[in-house]
Amino acid sequence: MLEMSHKLRVGELRALYLTEEEIWRTFTIVLTTKSKKSATYKFGLLKAMIENLYQVDEEAEVTYDQLAYSFTKIYWNLVIHHELEQGTRGSAVVNQLNDIYHSYNIPQEMPFDKLDTTIQLAATRRIKAVMKTNVFGALYGDTQGAFYAFDHKTEQFKYNGAVLTFMRKYQRLLIDLVNHHMAKMIEQLNEGPHIQYLLNKVESIAKRSTLKPFEKVLLHYFEDNCFYCGKSLHKTNMQTHVDHFIPWSFVQSDHIWNLVITCSACNTSKNDKLAVRSYLDEVVDRNERMINQPELVQQESELATYKKEKMIHLYDYSIQNGYEDIWVPR
Ligand SMILES: [Zn+2]
């Protein structure tokens, strides 16, 4: 382990080429080693890394802001929304979030995505500062500097290309592993809640409570018809749904380029499945139209790094990850 690595302001990649076996070994060590201080942070950062696997630019980089947003959401939902602060009480992240929670008089049941944007940004900014002192360097040390590079000055985070590919390839398994170990650690730190209860909470903390804001945008720009069956959505009493084209259980995030508007029948029957491949072409076409709308790209900043190859890889990786039960609309 790299000593005192949490104090680092810059971390360069120590190994560029890694075999899958080496990455698995490091992952296993990171997940099972008990670090005393700020115990759950590494899981929070790993979850944020998973959530941003398809938000990287061509250099495999994401900004600190992107990671801090995911990380803040995860901790907000864990600590404030689910009141599972016991294990992490007194940690810098929890203190910052509690401070915001009290100073804005936020109702406890409020999940992160329902907070006012200014509050989300204020929280993200504070948590980013904590991540700079306590998180980026720590996991960097635990992974022997092999998983990513980071730089506090430019606020850029760069995945090791081999690790990025690995994480996409084994994404589903890694999500389960990280959630399981995070829940186990919270269980050890808390008196009381049962592991299964905690696991359910941990599995849900990355999830949005509503996709309504996306629905508005998509309906405004595009879809008058169900993406899958083509039925008009303007008829009275026709309920519209927002569907994750690649299932949420796999992507664990809500990229607008992965969301489509559907009728309720299609959304319900598709559920957690992957749609037949012909729809991949359709979603790729839809997204081309999306990125050709400058106003929309400005509003939805994640469209700036969208590439159709990402969508196609995501589709192929989800099959590799076990989404083999292909859905066809009736
Ligand atoms: Zn439909």
Side-chain angles (χ1 to χ4, degrees), residues 137-242:
L139 184 62
Y140 176 84
D142 286 349
T143 57
Q144 313 280 339
F147 275 23
Y148 59 82
F150 65 95
D151 187 336
H152 285 2
K153 204 166 158 199
T154 58
E155 300 200 337
Q156 290 284 328
F157 177 104
K158 185 183 171 74
Y159 294 74
N160 181 335
V163 173
L164 185 69
T165 304
F166 174 91
M167 289 181 81
R168 288 174 173 174
K169 192 168 165 189
Y170 298 107
Q171 188 168 344
R172 196 180 194 184
L173 195 54
L174 294 175
I175 291 164
D176 283 351
L177 281 170
V178 172
N179 286 344
H180 170 78
H181 284 280
M182 187 172 188
K184 217 166 97 179
M185 175 150 291
I186 298 171
E187 185 198 33
Q188 284 164 0
L189 295 166
N190 285 268
E191 302 283 318
H194 188 265
I195 181 86
Q196 191 54 50
Y197 169 85
L198 292 169
L199 190 55
N200 291 341
K201 297 295 176 211
V202 167
E203 281 172 349
S204 73
I205 50 179
K207 204 164 195 165
R208 279 183 159 268
S209 64
T210 173
L211 295 168
K212 278 281 168 205
F214 292 111
E215 181 175 330
K216 255 193 214 156
V217 174
L218 291 172
L219 283 172
H220 176 72
Y221 282 93
F222 298 102
E223 348 258 339
D224 298 319
N225 302 89
C226 170
F227 179 78
Y228 298 110
C229 72
K231 241 183 258 157
S232 167
L233 297 169
H234 285 311
K235 302 217 176 83
T236 41
N237 296 330
M238 180 68 95
Q239 255 211 323
T240 55
H241 285 238
V242 180

Side-chain angles (χ1 to χ4, degrees), residues 57-75:
D57 64 13
E58 279 163 7
E59 306 293 314
E61 290 188 18
V62 287
T63 63
Y64 278 22
D65 285 325
Q66 286 171 270
L67 289 170
Y69 180 86
S70 303
F71 191 89
T72 307
K73 177 186 65 182
I74 287 163
Y75 273 91

